[in-house]
Amino acid sequence: MKRLFDISADSPNEKTEPAWWFVFSRRKLLVASEGSGLTVPLARDLTDLGFSLNGGIFLGTLEGRPCYAAALADPPAPPAGLVFQDLWGLYDRLAPTLIPIAFRGLHLLDWSHKTRFCKRCGSALQPKPGPPARECPQCGHLSFPRISPAVIVLVERDDRCLLASSPRFKGDFYSVLAGFAEPGETLEETVAREVREETGIEVTDIRYFGSQPWPFPDSLMIGFTARYAGGEIRVDGEEISDARWFTADQLPNIPGKISIARRLIDWFVEKQQANNGV
């Protein structure tokens, strides 16, 4: 069965047909109104959208139509009907098929900006045909987009879940715990260590939940659930400013639906409602 979005498709030799353009300005995505929702503009090239920059990074094809990403540091005002909007607020208004492509575009744009010179010899890198990569013409070193694995976990204790707040959060905002995997660790070991380091809690029954690309700038969030095994909450006051056990009907301000953090919390709420016959 043909996939809706195909990252293995070959890049067109010429831009002769309208394509999906994922245009970013400081992580804000260019969108157009479509009924009650929003969509990504279709155009042959950026010049058709009123921008002078040509080119763009090929992302793949969506239902056979090419998709490109481009970054504009200080763009002029977009044409009528188009507007730059924060990616965080687009989850409920942008088609679900477009969100992961936008994430892919943002990730590759950041990588492209940061990967211009060879780490071995310092020579300017050149694009390499095929999957995203850059090659050094002097020493032959290949550079690929970096993906940083990070775990994110919802910890259950009877009818409560463990949520934490960080000094970098704005307002009364809590989320599930997360952290990056260390060299030599399994993901399950990362879960146990991060929960212990951030809250002093020990966990058991660590189970895989799901994953989500998270291009801020290059993470792959790998979700887990776990059960409380012991300990009392102790936070360090640096990475975590507060952590508490919350019931499903008394949750604080939590992440939006664009994130796997919210999917984990929603899973917990639905589980509790089912247990209570709601």
Side-chain angles (χ1 to χ4, degrees):
M1 184 176 68
K2 186 176 180 179
R3 291 175 293 179
L4 290 178
F5 180 60
D6 185 2
I7 64 173
S8 63
D10 294 330
S11 173
N13 293 325
E14 297 181 1
K15 298 184 179 71
T16 58
E17 300 294 333
W20 297 103
W21 278 92
F22 295 79
V23 183
F24 289 91
S25 176
R26 293 183 173 84
R27 295 185 178 175
K28 290 186 176 182
L29 180 65
L30 184 69
V31 292
S33 297
E34 185 179 61
S36 60
L38 298 170
T39 189
V40 174
L42 279 169
R44 183 186 57 82
D45 209 335
L46 282 177
T47 54
D48 294 344
L49 297 174
F51 302 113
S52 59
L53 180 67
N54 287 306
I57 296 176
F58 178 68
L59 303 176
T61 61
L62 177 61
E63 296 184 314
R65 189 183 295 277
C67 301
Y68 296 93
L72 304 172
D74 294 298
L82 298 175
V83 64
F84 284 98
Q85 288 204 5
D86 197 311
L87 194 55
W88 300 102
L90 295 177
Y91 181 84
D92 291 328
R93 303 191 65 192
L94 201 63
T97 53
L98 298 177
I99 291 288
I101 307 176
F103 276 14
R104 175 174 170 80
L106 188 58
H107 189 153
L108 291 180
L109 287 169
D110 183 80
W111 166 75
S112 178
H113 175 71
K114 295 177 179 177
T115 313
R116 293 179 289 177
F117 299 96
C118 179
K119 294 181 180 179
R120 285 184 176 175
C121 69
S123 300
L125 296 172
Q126 296 179 351
K128 183 176 174 60
R134 289 190 170 182
E135 185 175 21
C136 177
Q138 297 299 320
C139 70
H141 178 66
L142 290 176
S143 296
F144 297 93
R146 173 177 173 172
I147 299 176
S148 303
V151 302
I152 185 164
V153 54
L154 183 136
V155 181
E156 294 181 277
R157 184 179 185 179
D158 299 323
D159 64 343
R160 295 171 290 168
C161 68
L162 181 62
L163 302 179
S165 184
S166 168
R168 68 179 183 276
F169 293 167
K170 295 181 180 180
D172 184 27
F173 183 87
Y174 285 74
S175 185
V176 293
L177 300 173
F180 289 100
E182 294 285 349
E185 276 187 328
T186 66
L187 296 175
E188 291 81 3
E189 289 170 340
T190 303
V191 168
R193 175 182 56 78
E194 285 291 340
V195 175
R196 183 187 311 113
E197 289 180 352
E198 295 188 349
T199 65
I201 297 298
E202 298 292 337
V203 296
T204 188
D205 195 21
I206 299 169
R207 299 188 180 188
Y208 175 74
F209 176 84
S211 63
Q212 179 184 33
W214 199 244
F216 303 100
D218 53 26
S219 298
L220 174 64
M221 304 302 294
I222 305 159
F224 291 88
T225 62
R227 289 191 297 109
Y228 169 81
E232 297 297 328
I233 293 177
R234 300 187 309 275
V235 299
D236 60 13
E238 296 180 3
E239 287 193 29
I240 300 296
S241 56
D242 186 35
R244 305 179 194 177
W245 297 102
F246 292 91
T247 58
D249 59 351
Q250 293 185 325
L251 292 174
N253 186 20
I254 58 176
K257 291 183 177 295
I258 198 171
S259 68
I260 191 172
R262 178 58 176 267
R263 283 170 50 198
L264 281 160
I265 295 171
D266 286 349
W267 169 85
F268 168 76
V269 171
E270 292 168 5
K271 179 180 178 181
Q272 294 304 311
Q273 290 175 341
N275 290 342
N276 295 328
V278 177

